[in-house]
Amino acid sequence: MWLELNIARRLSSRKGGARVGVMERVAVVATAVSLAVIIITLSVVVGFKRDLGHLLSGAVADVVITSPHSRGTLSSEGLERSEALEALFADERIESYAVYTAKEGVLKSADNIVGVILKGVERGYDLKLYADHIVAGELPRIGEEPRTRDILLSEVVAGKMDVQVGDRIEMVFIDGGGQMIRDRYSLVGIYRTGVEMIDNSFAITDIGNVERLYNDFEGLVTGYELKLKEGVDNQLVADDLNERLIELYYAEDIDGEAFTLGDIFPTVYFWLATHDLNALIVIVIMIVVALLNMTTALLIIVLERQRMIGELRALGMSGWRVVRLFLFRALFIVGRGVVWGTIVGIALCAIQHHFAVVPLPAEGYLLSAVPAAMCWGWWALAVVGSIAVATVVMLLPAAYASRISPSETMRYE
């Protein structure tokens, strides 16, 4: 084996001013470009899932329990707040829970109107998502006595209403009896997440400001939001909770249902699923292109080295050793392509990850910039998989080399 490895290394050596053959360059470039595209594709697909999942769970939570008619958002039917219900959350998979009360309303000024969901939260509610994306002002004061009228709006909504931090804004609501309710709030902060469905929808305030908008909502909340521990399967937790909620309904007449982010935003998760298919198609195409170029290049290299192969066979080298020689030769070529492809792919992903130089129209892609996750595990799998697949495919031209006989090569000399 060492003899074949040494011969392959000398054939790949650039010492003495030897120039790289055209087909070898083609094989290296094809491998590098294909692997770089695969790395970038994996980074973008994983980035979309992570960024959207993080933002949606930060705005809505991993699992939401509401009235069955609400399907995790809001409706005119509230959910009874009770110790029996909250006892269900004593689960090691659940990190924390919080209640919220929400109501649809319209922001109104002399010139503009914008519909939003006014979401009221209690002291201790996890507002980290909004804190991380504040662009002006501060978070609203929650749970203080006397109750404040602070409100947090998105930059999109504030721009449509032409308001700034410190301005007083009016909202109009319709109560259960069809009567109009007017209320005023003080804009204390503006946020921007870059996700259209969040920025166009949610305004945050103290839960007491929303409770007073319901005539017959005493003792009820819109729902519970559950934050799960890292790595926990949302759907499995929701299914387990729904089984226990059915038992609670018959025992306590509390009618609730658990919904995952996939239930609340089905179109988003269907859209992400289509990205998985697109990514798979791109990866398969890149692998096929790289393998075709590698196979063609190595086959031409074998044909160029027929005399050398004949001489080695004449000196007693077996066909299997010739196969190993050209497998090592192929691995040197693949190795250079993999190194360059990995460096270029990861470098481009790192630049996008840290500086977001490639923007996206948020109205079409939900995020304001192309996401690039630093998914080292997936990248390692792509590199190892590319080398393994290339090695297997390279057996074909290498096997052809083993069939070349000394008599055939010497006949044409």
Side-chain angles (χ1 to χ4, degrees):
M1 183 176 71
W2 294 112
L3 175 62
E4 299 94 283
L5 180 60
N6 286 329
I7 294 174
R9 185 185 294 119
R10 289 178 65 84
L11 291 174
S12 300
S13 174
R14 295 289 152 284
K15 293 181 180 179
R19 298 180 62 186
V20 181
V22 173
M23 293 311 301
E24 185 172 338
R25 288 198 204 100
V26 170
V28 171
V29 171
T31 304
V33 171
S34 297
L35 184 57
V37 171
I38 290 171
I39 286 173
I40 293 169
T41 301
L42 289 172
S43 177
V44 172
V45 171
V46 173
F48 263 114
K49 289 188 173 182
R50 288 185 181 177
D51 289 2
L52 276 176
H54 172 73
L55 290 169
L56 292 176
S57 65
V60 180
D62 299 308
V63 176
V64 180
I65 297 179
T66 63
S67 162
H69 302 286
S70 176
R71 294 200 61 80
T73 51
L74 54 86
S75 70
S76 58
E77 295 186 28
L79 185 66
E80 183 178 346
R81 187 172 187 177
S82 70
E83 293 182 1
L85 177 56
E86 294 176 3
L88 300 182
F89 310 147
D91 188 314
E92 61 181 10
R93 298 170 296 180
I94 298 174
E95 184 175 296
S96 62
Y97 69 89
V99 299
Y100 72 98
T101 300
K103 190 171 182 62
E104 293 174 319
V106 175
L107 290 163
K108 181 178 179 298
S109 68
D111 301 316
N112 303 298
I113 57 171
V114 178
V116 296
I117 297 173
L118 184 63
K119 185 174 182 179
V121 298
E122 291 185 323
R123 183 192 295 274
Y125 184 91
D126 185 6
L127 291 172
K128 185 177 185 303
L129 170 73
Y130 299 99
D132 291 343
H133 293 85
I134 287 282
V135 295
E138 59 187 9
L139 292 174
R141 292 166 292 177
I142 305 296
E144 294 194 1
E145 293 294 341
R147 173 168 43 86
T148 69
R149 293 296 184 90
D150 294 352
I151 192 172
L152 177 73
L153 294 180
S154 74
E155 187 177 53
V156 173
V157 173
K160 291 178 180 179
M161 293 299 298
D162 193 24
V163 293
Q164 299 177 349
V165 171
D167 290 350
R168 300 282 292 177
I169 58 176
E170 182 182 42
M171 286 196 72
V172 179
F173 307 91
I174 303 297
D175 66 12
Q179 299 298 312
M180 184 179 295
I181 303 174
R182 296 177 181 271
D183 212 346
R184 287 185 173 273
Y185 303 91
S186 175
L187 180 59
V188 298
I190 297 174
Y191 71 90
R192 179 182 66 240
T193 67
V195 179
E196 183 183 17
M197 64 179 56
I198 295 176
D199 291 350
N200 284 343
S201 301
F202 294 109
I204 308 299
T205 189
D206 188 284
I207 194 170
N209 294 330
V210 184
E211 288 176 339
R212 63 186 296 275
L213 301 173
Y214 289 95
N215 296 331
D216 53 355
F217 222 61
E218 187 174 354
L220 302 179
V221 294
T222 300
Y224 285 83
E225 293 185 347
L226 279 57
K227 297 284 186 181
L228 306 184
K229 293 182 179 178
E230 189 73 25
V232 173
D233 188 330
N234 296 15
Q235 190 61 58
L236 184 59
V237 173
D239 292 341
D240 291 345
L241 284 171
N242 280 326
E243 290 181 6
R244 300 166 70 185
L245 284 166
I246 292 173
E247 297 174 1
L248 187 64
Y249 173 73
Y250 289 112
E252 303 283 343
D253 197 30
I254 297 175
D255 192 12
E257 186 172 351
F259 300 92
T260 65
L261 287 173
D263 299 323
I264 300 170
F265 303 108
T267 55
V268 173
Y269 282 84
F270 177 77
W271 180 72
L272 289 175
T274 62
H275 275 63
D276 290 344
L277 179 60
N278 293 339
L280 179 60
I281 292 172
V282 170
I283 290 171
V284 169
I285 290 174
M286 289 296 102
I287 290 175
V288 170
V289 169
L291 293 179
L292 287 175
N293 280 282
M294 278 296 304
T295 304
T296 304
L298 188 58
L299 187 57
I300 292 176
I301 290 171
V302 168
L303 294 174
E304 290 174 346
R305 295 289 179 175
Q306 283 191 85
R307 179 180 178 183
M308 183 196 76
I309 296 169
E311 292 172 348
L312 291 173
R313 294 298 306 277
L315 291 171
M317 180 176 281
S318 67
W320 171 237
R321 296 183 72 182
V322 172
V323 171
R324 286 194 304 198
L325 189 159
F326 280 94
L327 277 179
F328 285 131
R329 182 79 173 92
L331 284 174
F332 283 124
I333 297 173
V334 171
R336 285 199 293 274
V338 165
V339 168
W340 282 111
T342 302
I343 291 172
V344 172
I346 293 179
L348 292 175
C349 292
I351 291 171
Q352 181 64 20
H353 178 77
H354 291 291
F355 302 107
V357 295
V358 181
L360 278 177
E363 62 275 10
Y365 292 91
L366 304 178
L367 298 177
S368 57
V370 175
M374 305 301 284
C375 47
W376 299 101
W378 284 107
W379 290 343
L381 186 62
V383 170
V384 173
S386 298
I387 294 174
V389 172
T391 302
V392 173
V393 175
M394 289 307 102
L395 285 171
L396 296 175
Y400 173 78
S402 70
R403 298 175 61 87
I404 297 175
S405 66
S407 60
E408 291 177 349
T409 57
M410 293 176 181
R411 182 183 306 168
Y412 299 102
E413 291 298 323

